[in-house]
């Protein structure tokens, strides 16, 4: 990957002949703000505590473009067009997501940065 020198990616590889998946996602900004949780950071995963299945108003979309997504109906495609719908929002529901993600600042964010990348 050709990333800016300030961007670091840490991936967990196999621990034996078996591989595993680590579901914690972490973003650290300048060691002063950290976002930690299990929600995938990608199109179609935005949600809130109501887990709304449809947009109530077509004039003000809560889930624009690829964020209105249901993998049980159709896989994501045309990712280079992020604001184009993947499914027909007038007849099909989106898939809600339930997970926890949080933001910490200050010393707590510094601790997250240290434990994720320097430990």
């Amino acid at each position: 990957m050709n990333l800016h020198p300030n961007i670091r990616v840490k991936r967990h590889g196999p621990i034996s002949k078996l591989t595993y998946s680590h579901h914690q996602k972490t973003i650290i900004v300048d060691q002063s703000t950290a976002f930690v949780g299990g929600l995938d950071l990608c199109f179609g995963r935005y949600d809130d505590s109501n887990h709304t299945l449809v947009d109530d108003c077509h004039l003000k979309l809560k889930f624009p473009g690829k964020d209105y997504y249901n993998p049980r109906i159709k896989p994501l495609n045309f990712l280079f067009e992020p604001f184009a719908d993947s499914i027909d929002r007038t007849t099909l529901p989106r898939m809600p997501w339930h997970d926890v993600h949080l933001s910490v600042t200050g010393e707590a964010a510094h601790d997250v940065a240290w434990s994720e990348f320097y430990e």
Side-chain angles (χ1 to χ4, degrees):
M1 274 191 267
N2 292 329
L3 299 175
H4 188 278
N6 289 343
I7 298 174
R8 296 185 181 132
V9 177
K10 179 180 178 183
R11 293 183 179 154
H12 295 281
I15 56 175
S16 66
K17 291 183 179 181
L18 302 174
T19 58
Y20 67 98
S21 176
H22 186 73
H23 289 282
Q24 178 177 311
K25 285 74 172 186
T26 306
I27 296 175
I28 304 162
V29 181
D30 297 332
Q31 295 188 20
S32 62
T33 303
F35 302 92
V36 181
L39 194 61
D40 292 333
L41 303 171
C42 63
F43 289 126
R45 295 304 203 284
Y46 171 75
D47 209 348
D48 63 14
S49 59
N50 294 324
H51 305 299
T52 308
L53 296 178
V54 296
D55 271 325
D56 293 329
C57 177
H58 72 281
L59 298 175
K60 184 175 178 177
L61 300 176
K62 184 175 185 176
F63 307 99
K66 301 292 187 270
D67 276 331
Y68 195 92
Y69 165 63
N70 191 328
R72 294 184 178 266
I73 296 172
K74 184 179 179 184
L76 274 177
N77 56 11
F78 302 106
L79 296 179
F80 54 88
E81 297 175 353
F83 297 107
D85 289 346
S86 290
I87 60 175
D88 182 357
R89 67 180 59 238
T90 63
T91 61
L92 300 170
R94 60 176 288 278
M95 179 178 278
W97 298 93
H98 188 78
D99 211 325
V100 176
H101 223 89
L102 62 97
S103 170
V104 294
T105 59
E107 289 297 315
H110 187 266
D111 288 347
V112 170
W114 184 259
S115 67
E116 284 293 316
F117 291 97
Y118 301 108
E119 201 171 69

